[in-house]
Amino acid sequence: MQGTMVAGFDPTGPGLYYVDSDGQRTKGQRFSVGSGSLYAYGILDAGYRWDLGVEEAIELGRRSIYHATFRDCASGGTVSVYHVTKDGWKKVRGDDVTELHFQYYPQPELHPANATEVLA
């Protein structure tokens, strides 16, 4: 099953929808779509607050997409973040996942994927 997110503004204010492969629309506050979406949701659920500022929300989006692409090889290698307002949309970030990986985890041994212990 495939899906997409649609964001925009109308006379009633901002709107965000998930549209599935059958055309069903679901309105919500935040969504993650695709094979890596469960990884992204883990970051979104941990970091989302109603009072996030724009820069905080952009960084949360970057981090969420990074984790989805790092853990799921079918999710691609670029993190693209857009800011949608009543005046239109603007692409605010376009980052390579490898560069983000070394930005977020400059010491590879500190990455969560390396934090496993042998269970006795």
Side-chain angles (χ1 to χ4, degrees):
M1 174 166 309
Q2 297 291 323
T4 190
M5 288 184 287
V6 178
F9 270 78
D10 66 16
T12 65
L16 179 64
Y17 294 86
Y18 168 74
V19 183
D20 71 17
S21 58
D22 295 325
Q24 170 119 3
R25 296 176 316 274
T26 304
K27 186 173 179 149
Q29 296 295 319
R30 60 189 177 277
F31 292 106
S32 181
V33 177
S35 59
S37 65
L38 294 177
Y39 303 110
Y41 268 129
I43 303 301
L44 285 171
D45 289 345
Y48 183 79
R49 301 184 329 266
W50 286 101
D51 62 344
L52 283 175
V54 172
E55 291 303 317
E56 290 175 299
I58 289 168
E59 180 56 27
L60 180 60
R62 287 175 74 208
R63 196 171 277 277
S64 299
I65 299 167
Y66 157 75
H67 279 277
T69 58
F70 182 79
R71 295 286 188 174
D72 178 65
C73 65
S75 290
T78 304
V79 174
S80 298
V81 179
Y82 296 82
H83 184 208
V84 180
T85 69
K86 64 181 178 181
D87 297 320
W89 62 271
K90 178 174 93 170
K91 183 174 182 176
V92 293
R93 300 298 304 210
D95 299 297
D96 179 89
V97 171
T98 303
E99 292 175 12
L100 280 180
H101 178 74
F102 290 108
Q103 176 185 335
Y104 290 146
Y105 301 101
Q107 296 175 282
E109 65 276 9
L110 298 181
H111 190 275
N114 296 325
T116 58
E117 295 181 22
V118 177
L119 300 176

